[in-house]
Coordinates of all heavy atoms in Angstrom, one line a residue:
A195 N 14.0 49.0 -9.5 CA 13.4 47.9 -8.8 C 14.0 46.6 -9.1 O 14.0 45.7 -8.4 CB 11.9 48.0 -8.8
A196 N 14.5 46.5 -10.3 CA 15.0 45.2 -10.8 C 16.1 44.7 -9.9 O 16.3 43.5 -9.7 CB 15.5 45.2 -12.3
R197 N 17.0 45.6 -9.6 CA 18.1 45.4 -8.7 C 17.6 44.7 -7.3 O 18.1 43.8 -6.8 CB 19.0 46.6 -8.4 CG 20.2 46.4 -7.6 CD 21.3 45.7 -8.2 NE 21.5 44.3 -8.0 CZ 22.1 43.5 -8.7 NH1 22.7 43.9 -9.8 NH2 22.2 42.3 -8.5
R198 N 16.5 45.4 -6.8 CA 16.0 45.0 -5.5 C 15.4 43.6 -5.7 O 15.7 42.7 -4.8 CB 14.9 46.0 -5.0 CG 14.2 45.5 -3.9 CD 13.1 46.5 -3.3 NE 12.2 46.8 -4.4 CZ 11.2 46.2 -4.9 NH1 10.9 45.0 -4.4 NH2 10.4 46.6 -5.8
L199 N 14.8 43.4 -6.8 CA 14.2 42.0 -7.0 C 15.3 40.9 -7.1 O 15.2 39.8 -6.5 CB 13.4 41.9 -8.3 CG 12.1 42.7 -8.3 CD1 11.5 42.8 -9.7 CD2 11.1 42.2 -7.3
V200 N 16.4 41.2 -7.8 CA 17.5 40.2 -7.9 C 18.1 40.1 -6.6 O 18.4 38.9 -6.1 CB 18.5 40.7 -9.0 CG1 19.7 39.8 -8.9 CG2 17.8 40.7 -10.3
D201 N 18.4 41.1 -5.9 CA 19.1 41.0 -4.6 C 18.1 40.4 -3.5 O 18.6 39.8 -2.6 CB 19.4 42.5 -3.9 CG 20.5 43.2 -4.8 OD1 21.2 42.4 -5.5 OD2 20.7 44.3 -4.6
G202 N 16.8 40.4 -3.7 CA 15.9 39.7 -2.9 C 15.6 38.2 -3.2 O 14.7 37.6 -2.6
G203 N 16.4 37.7 -4.2 CA 16.3 36.4 -4.5 C 15.2 35.9 -5.4 O 14.7 34.8 -5.3
V204 N 14.9 36.7 -6.4 CA 13.8 36.5 -7.3 C 14.1 35.2 -8.1 O 13.1 34.4 -8.3 CB 13.4 37.6 -8.2 CG1 14.6 37.9 -9.2 CG2 12.1 37.4 -8.9
R205 N 15.3 34.9 -8.5 CA 15.6 33.8 -9.2 C 15.3 32.4 -8.4 O 14.6 31.5 -8.9 CB 17.1 33.7 -9.7 CG 17.5 32.5 -10.5 CD 19.0 32.6 -10.8 NE 19.4 33.7 -11.6 CZ 19.3 33.8 -12.9 NH1 18.9 32.7 -13.6 NH2 19.7 34.9 -13.5
E206 N 15.7 32.5 -7.2 CA 15.5 31.3 -6.3 C 14.0 31.3 -6.0 O 13.5 30.0 -5.9 CB 16.3 31.5 -5.0 CG 17.8 31.5 -5.1 CD 18.3 32.7 -5.7 OE1 17.7 33.8 -5.7 OE2 19.5 32.7 -6.1
K207 N 13.3 32.4 -5.8 CA 11.8 32.3 -5.5 C 11.1 31.7 -6.7 O 10.1 30.9 -6.5 CB 11.3 33.6 -5.2 CG 11.8 34.2 -3.8 CD 11.3 35.6 -3.6 CE 11.9 36.2 -2.2 NZ 11.6 37.6 -2.1

Side-chain angles (χ1 to χ4, degrees):
R197 179 78 262 163
R198 173 179 53 77
L199 292 174
V200 170
D201 291 346
V204 70
R205 183 182 298 274
E206 295 76 16
K207 290 175 183 176

